[in-house]
Amino acid sequence: MKRRRAIGVLGGIVGGPLLAPEGAFAELVAWADRVRASAGTPAGGGPTGPQVAASLLTPPRARVMAAMAEAIIPVTDTPGASEAGVTEFVAALVDGWLDDDDRDRFLAGLDTVDPAARDRFGADFADCTRAQQAALVGNLDAELTRLRDDADTDETQHFFHDVKRFTLTAYFTSEVGLEAIGYRITFPAFEGCAPLTDAEAGRSPGADTRGSSPTAAPAHGAHP
């Protein structure tokens, strides 16, 4: 039940981790660390490459997953998906955390990506240009949107729905992802009160504060 509950939480949180309740997001991060531990991956994720040995996420599937994750979260001024160990996290989900039906549907979907890329661009997905990869991913995302707008279908049954939620979950529960959004689950130390800067206090830089009471603000986590 805990495993099913944790996986069910993914869709509701990963799209907006900063808006998630503190306890719910912390629980998701703790669960993600257990997933990584089950695969021997360091807590917080890390860049270990797209090859995942002895897994149902075979090397060709891992290569597709790594390239798709990087297309979803590329390197910008923050690290991309590959630096967060997304593929290793997905391998752990596939091997020990997904129900059989969910796993089989997801893997079958991954197996369609390279043939589709070869048909359209003459190369496996990972070997396509960034623009070509973006076009293919855009088509898959458009298909999800179409399914979402159709009351008679369930977009969560499309494998790309899982590609997106697994990528976002792995990234935003990894060390690099948490750093990218400036999220701290726990405060490392009680810092007490700290004097306000000139900007925080509305003073001009270098203003003479002699004779006035120092203004202080409670540090994060401190009570006023």
Side-chain angles (χ1 to χ4, degrees):
M1 290 300 294
K2 288 183 178 180
R3 178 178 303 180
R4 181 178 294 276
R5 178 169 179 260
I7 292 176
V9 168
L10 304 186
I13 291 182
V14 297
L18 288 175
L19 301 179
E22 177 87 7
F25 189 52
E27 180 183 355
L28 180 64
V29 173
W31 172 79
D33 282 344
R34 293 195 297 273
V35 173
R36 293 182 175 95
S38 73
T41 304
T48 58
Q51 299 299 321
V52 180
S55 171
L56 290 171
L57 195 72
T58 59
R61 289 167 173 166
R63 191 165 184 256
V64 169
M65 184 66 222
M68 295 190 82
E70 196 67 21
I72 294 170
I73 307 180
V75 175
T76 56
D77 57 336
T78 56
S82 61
E83 296 182 61
V86 168
T87 309
E88 291 77 11
F89 181 85
V90 172
L93 287 179
V94 165
D95 291 333
W97 293 81
L98 296 181
D99 291 339
D100 292 348
D101 290 345
D102 293 335
R103 178 200 64 214
D104 293 346
R105 184 185 65 251
F106 173 67
L107 294 178
L110 282 184
D111 290 342
T112 68
V113 176
D114 276 343
R118 288 193 295 268
D119 286 346
R120 184 168 177 181
F121 298 116
D124 288 344
F125 183 84
D127 296 324
C128 289
T129 66
R130 290 187 178 182
Q132 291 170 341
Q133 290 178 351
L136 291 165
V137 167
N139 288 345
L140 290 169
D141 210 33
E143 179 67 10
L144 275 187
T145 299
R146 185 190 68 77
L147 293 174
R148 188 178 304 117
D149 293 339
D150 186 343
D152 296 327
T153 60
D154 181 3
E155 81 275 8
T156 66
Q157 298 302 300
H158 194 292
F159 88 98
F160 190 63
H161 178 270
D162 288 336
V163 169
K164 289 177 66 176
R165 70 180 183 135
F166 294 166
T167 296
L168 292 173
T169 300
Y171 187 81
F172 287 113
T173 59
S174 72
E175 182 177 345
V176 298
L178 290 170
E179 289 178 354
I181 61 175
Y183 186 90
R184 286 198 306 177
I185 300 172
T186 58
F187 303 109
F190 177 75
E191 299 165 349
C193 290
L196 292 175
T197 65
D198 288 335
E200 291 169 335
R203 297 189 299 260
S204 299
D208 188 353
T209 59
R210 289 176 297 176
S212 60
S213 301
T215 305
H220 295 299
H223 293 289

